[in-house]
Amino acid sequence: MTDVLPRPRALLLILALVILAVFPYLYTWPFFGSFLDPFRTFQATRFAIWLIILMGLNLLTGYSGQISLGHGAFIAVGAYIAAILMNDYSVPVFAAVLAAGVLTGLVGFLIGIPALRLSGPYLAIATLALVIVLPNIIKHRLVEDWTGGVMGISLSTSHVPGSLEGMTTDYQWIYYTCMVPAVIMTAMAWSVTRSRVGRAFIALRDSKLGAQQMGIDVSLYRMTAFGLCALYAGTGGALYVYTAGYLGPATFDIGISLTMLVMIVLGGLASILGTIFAAIMMTVRIDFVDFVIGMIPFGDRIGIDTSRDALFGLLLILAIIFTPTGVAGSIREGRERREARRVTGTGAPPSRLARLFRRKA
Amino acid sequence: MAELIQQVATGLSTGSLYAIFALALVLIYRSTRVVNFSQGQMAMFTTFVAWSLLNWGLHFWFAFFLTLLIAGVMGALVEKALMRPVENAPSLNAVILTLGLLTLFGGLALRIWAGEPKTFPSPGVFEGAPLTLGPATISRPNIGVFCTSVLIMVAIYMLFNYTKVGLAMRGAAQNRVASQLVGVRVGRMLALGWALSAMVGAVAGMLLAPTLYLSPSMMMGVLLFGFAAAVLGGLDSPLGAIVGGLVLGVTQNLAGTYIGSDIDIAVAFLAIILVLIVRPTGLFGKQAIGSD
């Protein structure tokens, strides 16, 4: 792996960063105003939060190979820490988010200790248990004063700090509070996965024995993976509660935890680009189903609207069958195939998706 | 003391429901090495099929066995059409596919049988006054569920340990290539595993429906506990599924009575985490050699 990006990709990256930097103002420009509006800024904010959260899950599941169905629990821990700090102790948002990330990371690191002995489905169910147990702890009367029990916590909606007033709207302000950490943490994930730590994760995922032979401290690195995963989840949770303004014990339930796992697989495991796709899909998943429903001819005549859950399930199944390595994996394979064709002059085996279309023709 | 015994008895009957679901999961895990998250929704779906059959005026037992047949065909079809393509993909893909199935079956049921929760008749043999055993009273359906779960466990145990088909199924799950070399039709065995598991799920659904009422979300809670029970007992052990289910049911009931009704689920799952820390593959599960 080269340390310097090839030139076209570096240019693309710079372009993407520039777009992200001016995105909340784009809709005020003549051309972009035709398809952008403040709601897109809100969606982009959600995307930034999902990106942080899913990056953590992909570090744990994609890179270190430990399946977690309990990611929602880490998000909730971070969200509650941040909400309590901001509400009860008037901690400024930056400090609260940072504290939430670090503390949740510590919790994750410690949870990594009992998780050391578990693997595969057993680890999956144990982490699932975290999501089930946590709401009950949050609702318990011993901590009710802090967590607000069943009622949850309402924050006063986030506003632009006084010194910046007039320069940005609340929407734009929230966008930057989330997008800046998202970009920093994505860069961090990129460098971690290309460092000694990232290589150790991949080694112990692919062969525990092999990793041990290479002198990798399997226990330490598995715990580190849990800690990193929780650090990201906690930060994302803190940003979520800051932007949403409300947090309850059921905000991050089992359904969300399962959906996140689905999304990182469909985006592409062990891939930064894949996580970006996963975050996009996580943000627009409901709108996408609406879009597909709109595309089906005579849909309203057969009452397609009542089938949206079924349709979503069907889309998931088709996606996992036809793109088994996710969006990022398919892009990579496509590139490798083109490369192979260019080098050898013969056709490399076509992808499953390509075969499907060829058979029809 | 009498209350304790009554609570244990109630816990045992709740637990045997979890046990049947756990058995279905164990069956599929043992024969295909897949943890099927859609188990509950498939069972719910087949129970709705049974309801429709009964609504057309079929006799209860005729509808019951017809539903089993339909469930079996459905399970085999799901394996052949949908699971087969992800067989050689990373193992997480199969998990994701079953999550897709969970959403699909839930959505289909919502579309076909939307509306009020439906009532489902209880088979005639379960009717009558509750039985009294010492200080505890147990309703007849609960005893029925308990006996059914033990019957299914024995059947699975016999299948896997004393029949040629069962041996072939275990082989197909454990080492595909070696099984093919000795002439096992691996594809058929995997489909059979899904078919049998769907049938066990259908039995569980039809036993549950009279008490829970029939609705697309009826299985979610039970499925979660079924999972927990299977993991607690060890995913590859039918005996473990029963023991896990019963332990879980009793723990949940006792915690609900003596600690607080709002925290029974948390206690049950905390217990699972504790057990897994001591025994990483459940109470009766075997540690696979060479897996890490």
Side-chain angles (χ1 to χ4, degrees), chain A residues 117 122 136 208 302 307 324, chain B residues 93 111 235 262 277-278 292:
Chain A
R117 283 166 61 81
Y122 295 96
N136 287 283
K208 190 170 151 193
I302 55 170
S307 316
Chain B
N93 287 26
R111 165 123 172 80
L235 268 170
D262 52 335
I277 291 172
V278 183
D292 52 21

Side-chain angles (χ1 to χ4, degrees), chain B residues 123-168:
Chain B
V125 285
F126 290 169
E127 264 152 36
L131 295 182
T132 314
L133 294 168
T137 356
I138 311 170
S139 72
R140 274 173 205 254
N142 283 343
I143 293 177
V145 171
F146 182 79
C147 295
T148 316
S149 65
V150 173
L151 262 178
I152 295 175
M153 179 201 76
V154 172
I156 293 178
Y157 183 79
M158 301 286 255
L159 172 75
F160 277 130
N161 290 293
Y162 294 103
T163 68
K164 230 173 166 174
V165 179
L167 189 65

Side-chain angles (χ1 to χ4, degrees), chain A residues 227-313:
Chain A
L228 262 179
C229 162
L231 171 78
Y232 276 80
T235 311
L239 289 172
Y240 174 87
V241 69
Y242 178 67
T243 56
Y246 170 76
L247 180 66
T251 305
F252 298 106
D253 60 357
I254 303 169
I256 290 282
S257 294
L258 295 179
T259 312
M260 287 189 293
L261 186 70
V262 171
M263 290 304 162
I264 61 160
V265 174
L266 293 186
L269 283 176
S271 160
I272 303 286
L273 186 66
T275 316
I276 294 174
F277 282 117
I280 294 174
M281 290 190 283
M282 194 76 196
T283 312
V284 303
R285 62 188 194 280
I286 294 163
D287 306 276
F288 181 70
V289 174
D290 282 339
F291 172 75
V292 173
I293 282 177
M295 296 288 284
I296 295 172
F298 309 114
D300 45 341
R301 205 174 297 169
I302 55 170
I304 195 78
D305 212 44
T306 54
S307 316
R308 66 184 42 241
D309 280 1
L311 196 70
F312 185 57

Side-chain angles (χ1 to χ4, degrees), chain A residues 61 67 69 114 117-119 121-122 125-126 128-130 132-133 136 140-141 207-209 254 258 261-262 265-266 269 302-303 306-307 309-310 312-314 316-317 320-321 324-325 352, chain B residues 29 35 37 81-82 85-86 89 92-93 95-97 99-101 103-104 107-108 110-111 224 227-228 231 234-236 262-263 265-266 269-270 273 276-282 285 292:
Chain A
T61 302
I67 299 176
L69 299 179
R117 283 166 61 81
L118 305 177
S119 63
Y122 295 96
I125 299 297
L128 187 68
L130 292 178
I132 295 166
V133 172
N136 287 283
H140 199 266
R141 51 190 176 278
S207 166
K208 190 170 151 193
L209 202 65
I254 303 169
L258 295 179
L261 186 70
V262 171
V265 174
L266 293 186
L269 283 176
I302 55 170
T306 54
S307 316
D309 280 1
F312 185 57
L314 192 65
L316 289 186
I317 292 171
I320 200 69
I321 289 178
T325 50
R352 181 174 277 165
Chain B
Y29 184 77
V35 179
F37 279 90
L82 302 175
V86 295
L92 197 52
N93 287 26
V95 173
I96 303 298
L97 202 138
L99 286 174
L101 283 174
T103 319
L104 177 65
L108 281 180
L110 210 60
R111 165 123 172 80
L224 219 49
F227 261 108
V231 163
L235 268 170
D236 49 9
D262 52 335
I263 206 145
I265 297 175
F269 276 85
L270 271 181
I273 295 181
L276 284 182
I277 291 172
V278 183
R279 297 211 30 117
T281 51
D292 52 21

Side-chain angles (χ1 to χ4, degrees), chain A residues 26-50:
Chain A
L26 271 186
Y27 75 93
T28 57
W29 296 2
F31 166 69
F32 296 101
S34 56
F35 58 92
L36 289 176
D37 53 57
F39 177 68
R40 297 284 169 224
T41 308
F42 169 75
Q43 275 190 320
T45 310
R46 274 288 149 84
F47 160 76
I49 296 172
W50 282 127

